[in-house]
């Protein structure tokens, strides 16, 4: 396996901006050809520039000029030509698409000898094309991105078709309120490297939930299809398909109505393994806030080793501050139950850490705690009110009982969160006074050896496979992090996989400031695809750290 950091090899910048002030992350790959064991790939990535420029240029998340510090601030200064940068622009100065031509020689086992970045280019007319993905359909390349429209800062108009919310009401076309997924033709020239963005069309149901944007595109029977979501709003796997087919890219775009590729929606599974896992975990937490959220990530590809399936990558957000707070509450509850006057468990633990250790390692102790709470559901009401500033409801008590009986504190999910939060070098960036306050330079200069954690979520990845004919979910991996113990990072956004001979590579962004990929063999991939519908047990789903030392090129 390889865990490769390509960032330093990507030398492209935009006009009048030093390369060191361009933050590059979140990458998607497509296989473009092979010549004598040398494989050509086209990789697209997100390129972001924040202005005023940081000096010195940012290196770590949280430093001035990175997305976590200030880069998410809305752009100022309206463009006159769509997706181009006006001279008066500040804040999110540019947020667009980079395109790299990469070669990998499969006869070379050492990454430094095997990998070459042949060319790197940033398309300067793509400002506002967020989180690009590349895929191939109808014999040509397409770029998938999402945009908030209308957006006067990018001169992006509102969609011509009306956009509706889930209740059927027209969404008013005010700046930034409509989340649109757009598909553009992308001309790739691997000889002269004169790449160009072509015509684009909106894709979907013309319903804007402002929730899901990570579509998994694939071509099927001349229709352009996409995995819309795996658990979106409590629904199982949902697949979109254009209402009309196209025998080529131009024919596909000719079917657009008012610039929209209108779709139908289906749910191939009556249930779904991913939704089952999400519900199983979130039913252990009181209140409306989830502990985890699963999503698709990007384009699917035909399985190189199985003509009957397609391979997709998904991601799961672990809302680690919520889970850590809940673990602290459960530890206090265990202390309370084990104390004299309650369950009177011999040798009760003395503090939270000891309570969690005892519960995780001593079956008899854990059984005694669970049984006592099941018989005295109100025994933790005072603790709950102190922790959550609300009285406990019966639904809250049921959730706590689920957490105990399902042994949440013993789970791999809890282990991931507790391990990261207890890291001696760990820093969890604070929220501040509003949702985006953490993105205003709160942590201006973190230490170089710090484990810097996003204030909202860890991002883990997983593989899934769909049946080639009916799109049903047929295989699923556990969730994992590509983990270098010496350089840990808990935010990795994988977008898709691409074939490399008998191997697979998965592009992913790390900490919103690095471009990386993971190479694994076909056998290593198959060993991960352990969950199938016929004997699936949602309690067996794991959150794992895949230990692979990184190589920085």
């Amino acid at each position: 396996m390889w865990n490769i950091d390509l960032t330093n090899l990507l030398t492209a910048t935009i006009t009048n901006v030093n390369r060191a002030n361009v933050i590059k992350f979140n990458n998607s790959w497509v296989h473009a050809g092979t010549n004598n064991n040398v494989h050509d790939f086209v990789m697209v990535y997100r390129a972001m520039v924040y202005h005023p420029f940081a000096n010195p240029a940012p290196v770590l998340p949280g430093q001035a000029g990175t997305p976590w510090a200030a880069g998410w601030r809305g752009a100022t200064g309206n463009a006159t030509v769509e997706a181009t940068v006006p001279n008066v622009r500040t804040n999110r100065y540019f947020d667009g698409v980079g395109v790299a031509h990469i070669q990998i020689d499969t006869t070379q086992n050492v990454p430094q000898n095997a990998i070459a970045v042949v060319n790197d280019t940033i398309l300067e007319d793509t400002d506002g094309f967020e989180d690009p993905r590349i895929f191939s359909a109808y014999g040509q390349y397409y770029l998938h991105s999402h945009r908030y429209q209308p957006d006067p800062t990018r001169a992006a108009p509102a969609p011509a078709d009306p956009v509706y919310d889930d209740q059927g009401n027209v969404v008013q076309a005010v700046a930034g309120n409509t989340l649109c997924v757009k598909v553009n033709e992308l001309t790739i020239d691997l000889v002269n490297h004169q790449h160009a963005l072509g015509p684009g069309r909106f894709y979907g149901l013309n319903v804007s939930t402002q929730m899901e944007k990570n579509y998994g595109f694939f071509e099927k029977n001349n229709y352009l299809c996409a995995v819309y979501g795996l658990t979106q709003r409590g629904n199982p796997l949902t697949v979109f398909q254009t209402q009309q087919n196209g025998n080529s890219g131009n024919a596909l775009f000719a079917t657009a109505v008012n610039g929209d590729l209108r779709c139908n929606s289906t749910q191939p599974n009556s249930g779904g393994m991913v939704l089952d896992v999400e519900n199983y975990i979130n039913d252990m937490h009181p209140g409306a806030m989830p502990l985890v959220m699963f999503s698709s990530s990007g384009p699917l590809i035909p399985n190189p080793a199985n003509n009957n399936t397609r391979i997709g990558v998904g991601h799961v957000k672990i809302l680690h501050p919520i889970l850590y707070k809940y673990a602290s509450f459960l530890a206090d509850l265990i202390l309370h139950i084990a104390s004299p006057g309650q369950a009177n468990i011999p040798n009760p633990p003395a503090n939270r850490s000891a309570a969690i250790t005892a519960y995780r390692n001593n079956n008899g102790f854990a059984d005694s705690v669970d049984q006592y709470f099941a018989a005295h559901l109100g025994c933790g009401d005072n603790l709950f009110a102190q922790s959550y500033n609300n009285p406990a409801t019966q639904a809250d008590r049921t959730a706590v009982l689920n957490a105990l009986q399902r042994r949440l504190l013993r789970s791999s999910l809890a282990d991931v969160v507790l391990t990261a939060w207890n890291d001696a070098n760990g820093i969890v960036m604070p929220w501040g006074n509003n949702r985006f306050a953490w993105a205003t330079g709160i942590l201006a200069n973190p230490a170089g050896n710090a484990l810097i954690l996003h204030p909202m979520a860890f991002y883990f990845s997983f593989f899934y496979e769909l049946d080639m004919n009916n799109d049903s979910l047929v295989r699923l991996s556990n969730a994992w992090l590509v983990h270098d113990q010496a350089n840990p990072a808990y935010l990795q956004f994988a977008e898709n996989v691409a074939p490399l001979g008998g191997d697979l590579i998965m592009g992913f962004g790390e900490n919103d400031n690095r471009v990386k990929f993971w190479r694994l063999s076909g056998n290593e991939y198959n060993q991960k695809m352990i969950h199938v519908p016929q004997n699936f047990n949602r309690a067996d789903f794991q959150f794992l750290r895949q230990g692979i030392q990184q190589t920085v090129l």
Side-chain angles (χ1 to χ4, degrees):
M1 292 186 182
W2 289 354
N3 173 11
I4 306 297
D5 187 332
L6 287 170
T7 317
N8 295 339
L9 298 184
L10 301 172
T11 57
T13 185
I14 65 173
T15 304
N16 298 323
V17 175
N18 186 292
R19 164 62 184 93
N21 283 301
V22 183
I23 305 300
K24 303 185 178 187
F25 57 105
N26 290 4
N27 56 100
S28 169
W29 297 57
V30 67
H31 189 268
T34 308
N35 183 15
N36 294 327
N37 298 309
V38 176
H39 293 253
D40 287 282
F41 294 90
V42 180
M43 180 188 74
V44 301
Y45 59 86
R46 187 168 182 174
M48 182 183 291
V49 178
Y50 178 76
H51 181 74
F53 307 127
N55 186 17
V59 177
L60 298 172
Q63 291 178 321
T66 65
W68 291 13
W72 299 128
R73 284 179 178 170
T76 61
N78 293 346
T80 55
V81 177
E82 184 175 2
T84 60
V85 178
N87 293 331
V88 294
R89 174 66 53 78
T90 59
N91 289 346
R92 203 183 317 187
Y93 183 79
F94 177 82
D95 189 357
V97 181
V99 180
H101 175 196
I102 297 172
Q103 292 181 333
I104 300 178
D105 185 343
T106 53
T107 66
Q108 300 292 325
N109 295 321
V110 177
Q112 289 87 340
N113 297 333
I115 302 164
V117 175
V118 181
N119 178 265
D120 183 31
T121 303
I122 295 178
L123 305 180
E124 297 198 27
D125 59 348
T126 60
D127 184 36
F129 286 64
E130 295 187 9
D131 283 338
R133 283 87 154 171
I134 188 172
F135 65 95
S136 177
Y138 308 103
Q140 65 184 72
Y141 297 117
Y142 291 90
L143 185 78
H144 153 217
S145 62
H146 60 266
R147 312 189 70 187
Y148 294 89
Q149 295 199 220
D151 182 358
T153 62
R154 272 91 183 200
D161 254 3
V163 178
Y164 302 89
D165 63 20
D166 287 348
Q167 287 72 46
N169 303 309
V170 174
V171 177
Q172 297 302 311
V174 297
N177 78 335
T178 304
L179 174 59
C180 304
V181 169
K182 200 164 190 179
V183 176
N184 285 77
E185 294 180 2
L186 183 62
T187 299
I188 296 295
D189 176 0
L190 294 184
V191 177
N192 299 306
H193 299 109
Q194 299 296 313
H195 315 307
L197 193 67
R201 299 291 184 268
F202 297 115
Y203 179 97
L205 302 178
N206 68 323
V207 173
S208 176
T209 65
Q210 298 195 35
M211 291 291 289
E212 189 53 82
K213 56 191 178 183
N214 302 300
Y215 291 14
F217 282 98
F218 60 95
E219 179 190 353
K220 178 184 174 183
N221 298 330
N222 289 327
Y223 292 90
L224 184 59
C225 303
V227 173
Y228 165 67
L230 295 165
T231 65
Q232 181 62 23
R233 294 201 168 187
N235 293 309
L237 167 68
T238 301
V239 177
F240 289 172
Q241 177 178 289
T242 48
Q243 293 177 355
Q244 300 182 56
N245 67 13
N247 296 316
S248 69
N250 290 332
L252 172 72
F253 276 12
T255 67
V257 178
N258 287 338
D260 290 353
L261 288 169
R262 294 181 177 176
C263 299
N264 297 318
S265 175
T266 62
Q267 294 177 349
N269 298 84
S270 58
M273 293 183 285
V274 183
L275 182 60
D276 287 347
V277 172
E278 183 174 285
N279 288 338
Y280 178 78
I281 294 171
N282 291 337
D283 285 348
M284 291 187 268
H285 186 251
M289 286 297 296
L291 295 176
V292 295
M293 295 187 293
F294 286 79
S295 176
S296 53
S297 290
L300 283 72
I301 65 167
N303 187 341
N306 184 348
N307 292 330
N308 297 316
T309 63
R310 307 179 202 276
I311 300 175
V313 178
H315 63 276
V316 52
K317 296 179 183 177
I318 302 171
L319 304 185
H320 62 91
I322 296 173
L323 180 51
Y324 188 77
K325 178 180 178 179
Y326 191 39
S328 300
F329 162 75
L330 291 174
D332 289 341
L333 178 63
I334 292 167
L335 287 171
H336 176 66
I337 290 173
S339 65
Q342 299 295 320
N344 292 315
I345 299 174
N347 303 313
N351 52 48
R352 284 178 175 174
S353 178
I356 292 175
T357 298
Y359 191 85
R360 287 167 65 94
N361 298 323
N362 187 322
N363 289 335
F365 178 82
D367 289 341
S368 296
V369 169
D370 297 354
Q371 292 164 9
Y372 184 86
F373 186 80
H376 306 82
L377 287 177
C379 71
D381 284 3
N382 288 337
L383 285 172
F384 186 91
Q386 293 169 13
S387 296
Y388 293 98
N389 297 317
N390 283 305
T393 65
Q394 186 58 37
D396 294 329
R397 299 183 191 104
T398 299
V400 173
L401 180 62
N402 287 341
L404 294 174
Q405 293 181 335
R406 298 175 186 180
R407 302 290 167 87
L408 174 61
L409 288 178
R410 289 189 171 196
S411 69
S412 57
L413 175 63
D415 182 63
V416 161
V417 172
L418 293 173
T419 298
W421 273 68
N422 293 329
D423 189 301
N425 293 319
I427 300 172
V428 180
M429 294 183 67
W431 280 103
N433 297 323
N434 62 68
R435 183 180 177 193
F436 293 106
W438 55 269
T440 57
I442 279 177
L443 196 60
N445 190 24
N449 63 347
L451 169 61
I452 305 164
L453 301 179
H454 187 283
M456 180 178 72
F458 298 160
Y459 280 63
F460 277 46
S461 303
F462 59 92
F463 296 127
Y464 66 94
E465 289 182 13
L466 301 188
D467 184 277
M468 186 71 77
N469 295 313
N470 62 25
D471 302 330
S472 62
L473 182 62
V474 293
R475 287 211 298 176
L476 177 69
S477 73
N478 287 319
W480 30 258
L481 191 77
V482 181
H483 188 68
D484 181 345
Q485 183 64 40
N487 300 277
Y490 282 80
L491 193 156
Q492 293 178 348
F493 189 82
E495 297 201 341
N496 70 316
V497 294
L500 175 63
D503 297 351
L504 291 171
I505 58 174
M506 182 196 79
F508 65 96
E510 185 170 271
N511 279 350
D512 286 344
N513 72 341
R514 307 300 294 177
V515 174
K516 301 185 71 174
F517 78 88
W518 179 30
R519 177 182 178 179
L520 69 165
S521 71
N523 184 53
E524 289 165 337
Y525 166 80
N526 276 311
Q527 289 175 354
K528 293 187 177 300
M529 304 305 291
I530 62 174
H531 300 297
V532 295
Q534 291 81 356
N535 60 3
F536 181 64
N537 183 349
R538 56 190 184 172
D540 292 337
F541 191 88
Q542 301 287 305
F543 296 81
L544 305 172
R545 287 172 289 261
Q546 175 71 63
I548 316 171
Q549 183 177 353
Q550 73 172 358
T551 299
V552 180
L553 300 182

